[in-house]
Amino acid sequence: MKRPLSSFLSTRLCMLVALTAMIAAAHACYGTTPKTLCSVTDYKIFNPSSVAIQCGDATSTAGISGQGGAVYLGTDLSSPLPVTFTANPYDDNWLFLVFTPKSGPVAPILKTQTKYTITITLSSTVNGVVLSLPTSTLIDTTPTLTLAALPVGGPNNYLVSSHLAFQGLGLGSGKTLSCSLVIQNYTGTFTARPAKCRQMQADLAGVQPNQPDPGTVGTLELQTEGNDIDIQGIPYKIAELQNVLGTAMTLDPKARLGQEKAPATKDASSYYINGSFAAGRGSKPGWILDAKIAPPVGRLYGGWQFCPTALANVGNNSISGMTYTDTIDFGLSESRPFELRGNLQEIYASGSVVYETDKEFNRDNVTGVADFRYNFKNLYSPRAVETLRKFGDQQKIAKANGITLQQSDVSPPFFGYAFDIHTGVEFGGAVVDTTVKATTGKATIELPTYSIFRVVPQIHGLLEFGRLSVDAVGTPRYLAATENTVVQLPNNSLILKTVHGWNGYGVVTSALNLDSVGHFCLSATYRDGFAPPKFSRINTVQLGILMKF
Amino acid sequence: MMTPSTPAPPGKIVTSKPTSVHGRVLVLLQNWAKLRTLPNDTDQLTVLWAPQAAPYNPDGAQLLAKAIQAEFSAPPVICQCITVADLTQGIKCVSDLVTAVPGCPQS
């Protein structure tokens, strides 16, 4: 029977489509097939018969296992040792390898100061298909320790780590114990310095108690004691520390104990004291103290950060080119951010108590301040932050192309901006009557006590155009309670005045960076309005050159 | 013959929730910075935080310190006080934080 042409073509077409689909599927399958199920990025030797290896390319090792692995001495793969091992999932992206002799009694497999190559075929079921792929890695049992600065716990804290699990020295107790850091000098002489050591090995959370987290195995916190000179030299070993293979451990010869660097600016400092003195024939000695103490203290409590503050800008007589405002503030503050959704993304709340006085202690203002800063969506985009965002985006693309991108490789945008709103209240009072003296002449006047209750809305904006930035803060302060102040007249007499209602105050600061990295900067500050506690009219422009190195 | 102080099993149940310090820190950072995927060890904390509408110092650092406290202060206590100062001075990238968590004071 003769088939019609259309039927013949239809059948051929279907076969062609099916063949194309099969080739495409095979190609897709080939293209997505991994070369290995575990690219080893780290390993921890738990004991002479077991090792955990980290599969850096996998987020989870669930479902991956292997049997019948081979072990070789060094990198010579011609003759395997009479040992085999199995691999099973251990945690997140780790596999746990257990070594057993092929025959004879069970004995420790791994020996100290030896390199081994291990190979195994790992299997896993992916989308119903069983994948079996070989994996190999080198493990080294040389008892070497690495040393790195630990970014918590103070400047003398270091992380000591090894591929080998530690033993003794308070392992498992979580306690800090006394230990000895042995330091070597240029002649080869060893000196033991007292130090504190704490084993950092932690258990995995929740699922199986008393199982060590591989990432913390073979890690120890070292805190040096004494001054910089005491610990100067080449760190050699921690006298009491042994590894799980029973040998002492020495530090990497390249390891060094670093020294902490000072913060670069006053703002970045928790403690800042700048004292200036000058004296000369025929003039009184002068001094100026500009000091700040504002460390965030301790841990958070309910998300609130406690911070005592002490600010002083005081002096005596005058030093050419240097001025002071004669204010001393002592305060205690608590602050906490609250995350929100929608257009209003965050409220940053802070409360503080401030005692304000001067060098003579003839002002005694105590105020409580509650302030809320509101951050809105899309309104926080300074050039520095926009550069970080740009870097984050470009880094992903660069990584996909095998390019290592650094932050300095990203050009900052030309335009930047930030805008936020504050609302707050200030309350308290001048707690005692004080005598105010005129800055020139002998006039004095009594400043009676008064109450303070101010409503303080504030608008803050920042605009950046390349090297030029303009920062403006507007504070239309409303005095709900009548306050007292003293005004000095042009003839240097003093009068008592009351202040009430709206008293606005604005500050506009512009800066122009003269070089691309901001070492030199021209700045201009314009102040206009009425600022507490004097509420005298201020209308000034200050020009300056700023140098930062 | 030396033996490990804490014997390890030949395998353990792998759950969807990470149990290692490293895995827990990555998930914590993903939630903190509202990321779609887990961050890499080399990512800088300031870069991860940059898309948010508030500055990293102190806002982001304080929220991160609070999240760390909530995650690692529960029994078994691993870490009680990585401070805002730590997060704005010493700890720069994800791996620094992974290292710092078991190294922070426990009481």
Side-chain angles (χ1 to χ4, degrees):
Chain A
M1 190 175 145
K2 194 176 180 182
R3 285 192 300 178
L5 182 62
S6 60
S7 171
F8 176 78
L9 287 177
S10 176
T11 306
R12 289 294 164 95
L13 192 64
C14 284
M15 287 175 65
L16 189 63
V17 169
L19 187 62
T20 308
M22 284 171 65
I23 292 170
H27 181 76
C29 186
Y30 177 78
T32 55
T33 300
K35 291 177 182 172
T36 177
L37 291 171
C38 178
S39 295
V40 180
T41 52
D42 194 8
Y43 61 91
K44 295 286 183 177
I45 299 166
F46 276 45
N47 60 38
S49 300
S50 58
V51 176
I53 60 171
Q54 186 180 32
C55 304
D57 53 350
T59 54
S60 171
T61 48
I64 299 176
S65 62
Q67 301 286 330
V71 182
Y72 304 86
L73 264 182
T75 54
D76 178 12
L77 305 185
S78 59
S79 53
L81 297 174
V83 169
T84 187
F85 67 92
T86 57
N88 284 295
Y90 183 70
D91 176 71
D92 292 355
N93 61 350
W94 291 79
L95 288 170
F96 196 76
L97 315 181
V98 178
F99 298 82
T100 49
K102 284 184 175 174
S103 60
V106 175
I109 306 298
L110 302 174
K111 293 180 172 51
T112 188
Q113 295 192 332
T114 309
K115 291 178 182 174
Y116 299 95
T117 299
I118 56 173
T119 63
I120 191 169
T121 298
L122 296 173
S123 299
S124 179
T125 303
V126 180
N127 298 328
V129 179
V130 178
L131 280 178
S132 293
L133 296 165
T135 291
S136 68
T137 191
L138 189 74
I139 60 173
D140 187 353
T141 59
T142 304
T144 303
L145 299 166
T146 58
L147 184 72
L150 196 58
V152 287
N156 299 325
N157 255 26
Y158 297 90
L159 171 71
V160 177
S161 57
S162 167
H163 289 299
L164 288 151
F166 298 147
Q167 63 172 346
L169 204 59
L171 181 69
S173 69
K175 290 181 180 171
T176 301
L177 302 175
S178 295
C179 57
S180 299
L181 173 65
V182 178
I183 290 173
Q184 186 180 25
N185 72 2
Y186 68 98
T187 63
T189 308
F190 295 102
T191 312
R193 296 290 182 196
K196 298 285 184 191
C197 292
R198 182 170 72 85
Q199 297 266 15
M200 288 164 62
Q201 183 172 306
D203 287 345
L204 294 170
V207 183
Q208 288 188 10
N210 302 320
Q211 298 307 319
D213 175 350
T216 62
V217 167
T219 58
L220 177 140
E221 177 191 3
L222 170 73
Q223 191 167 36
T224 57
E225 295 182 340
N227 58 34
D228 296 349
I229 296 170
D230 287 341
I231 59 166
Q232 211 151 29
I234 303 165
Y236 180 70
K237 69 174 184 178
I238 296 166
E240 298 83 357
L241 190 63
Q242 280 205 331
N243 63 52
V244 77
L245 301 183
T247 52
M249 310 198 71
T250 55
L251 284 150
D252 186 326
K254 296 188 290 294
R256 291 294 182 274
L257 300 165
Q259 305 297 328
E260 189 187 30
K261 290 182 180 174
T265 63
K266 181 180 177 183
D267 285 345
S269 309
S270 295
Y271 302 91
Y272 177 97
I273 297 173
N274 183 354
S276 303
F277 301 87
R281 179 177 291 179
S283 64
K284 291 180 181 177
W287 59 268
I288 289 175
L289 176 66
D290 184 14
K292 169 193 167 185
I293 301 173
V297 173
R299 54 178 290 192
L300 302 177
Y301 288 93
W304 293 86
Q305 177 68 59
F306 174 68
C307 184
T309 57
L311 306 170
N313 190 252
V314 294
N316 188 39
N317 298 322
S318 64
I319 299 174
S320 177
M322 301 175 77
T323 58
Y324 56 90
T325 57
D326 197 11
T327 58
I328 297 175
D329 291 349
F330 297 105
L332 301 170
S333 73
E334 287 272 1
S335 57
R336 180 187 167 172
F338 293 89
E339 282 189 295
L340 302 168
R341 292 180 180 179
N343 289 328
L344 177 58
Q345 298 229 306
E346 188 192 287
I347 296 177
Y348 192 80
S350 60
S352 56
V353 178
V354 178
Y355 170 70
E356 184 182 82
T357 185
D358 56 16
K359 180 168 65 76
E360 294 78 19
F361 283 83
N362 62 12
R363 288 227 171 216
D364 297 292
N365 290 355
V366 177
T367 56
V369 179
D371 181 74
F372 299 91
R373 188 194 68 210
Y374 306 92
N375 281 80
F376 296 92
K377 193 177 182 180
N378 301 327
L379 289 181
Y380 184 74
S381 187
R383 290 177 75 216
V385 172
E386 202 54 45
T387 305
L388 290 176
R389 290 175 189 163
K390 206 170 159 183
F391 172 62
D393 293 340
Q394 292 183 0
Q395 196 180 29
K396 290 173 194 160
I397 299 167
K399 190 176 274 185
N401 292 323
I403 298 168
T404 305
L405 194 74
Q406 295 186 352
Q407 203 173 314
S408 56
D409 301 330
V410 178
S411 60
F414 178 74
F415 182 64
Y417 62 91
F419 179 80
D420 55 69
I421 293 173
H422 293 239
T423 58
V425 290
E426 298 168 349
F427 53 93
V431 291
V432 294
D433 294 345
T434 54
T435 302
V436 177
K437 296 174 184 173
T439 54
T440 305
K442 295 183 178 178
T444 61
I445 194 170
E446 283 293 309
L447 179 65
T449 59
Y450 55 90
S451 298
I452 294 172
F453 191 88
R454 308 168 188 146
V455 179
V456 193
Q458 192 179 74
I459 299 171
H460 169 238
L462 168 72
L463 287 176
E464 296 173 310
F465 305 94
R467 294 181 185 182
L468 176 68
S469 68
V470 180
D471 187 289
V473 180
T475 312
R477 184 178 275 104
Y478 182 78
L479 278 60
T482 301
E483 297 183 28
N484 297 327
T485 187
V486 172
V487 176
Q488 186 167 338
L489 300 175
N491 62 4
N492 292 324
S493 61
L494 301 173
I495 60 165
L496 188 66
K497 190 182 166 187
T498 58
V499 193
H500 186 265
W502 288 103
N503 285 268
Y505 181 63
V507 180
V508 179
T509 306
S510 64
L512 179 67
N513 286 334
L514 298 177
D515 61 332
S516 60
V517 287
H519 285 315
F520 296 93
C521 179
L522 275 178
S523 68
T525 305
Y526 173 60
R527 300 171 196 272
D528 192 7
F530 304 87
K534 290 185 175 178
F535 290 102
S536 302
R537 176 67 194 267
I538 298 168
N539 189 353
T540 62
V541 175
Q542 291 177 316
L543 297 172
I545 295 176
L546 182 66
M547 287 183 288
K548 293 182 288 184
F549 286 93
Chain B
M1 175 46 51
M2 299 300 167
T3 54
S5 56
T6 309
K12 81 178 274 294
I13 301 163
V14 177
T15 61
S16 57
K17 190 181 177 191
T19 49
S20 67
V21 169
H22 182 258
R24 290 162 73 188
V25 167
L26 293 188
V27 172
L28 180 152
L29 287 173
Q30 185 183 17
N31 294 331
W32 166 72
K34 303 178 184 73
L35 304 173
R36 289 180 185 171
T37 57
L38 292 174
N40 295 314
D41 284 348
T42 54
D43 287 342
Q44 294 173 46
L45 299 180
T46 50
V47 174
L48 296 178
W49 179 258
Q52 312 307 319
Y56 174 76
N57 185 10
D59 305 41
Q62 209 166 323
L63 287 167
L64 181 54
K66 184 169 178 278
I68 293 165
Q69 203 177 67
E71 175 70 27
F72 293 104
S73 290
V77 176
I78 293 176
C79 173
Q80 284 197 338
C81 51
I82 281 187
T83 63
V84 172
D86 294 330
L87 291 168
T88 53
Q89 291 169 15
I91 299 171
K92 302 292 182 192
C93 62
V94 174
S95 60
D96 289 341
L97 185 57
V98 171
T99 303
V101 165
C104 86
Q106 292 180 308
S107 58

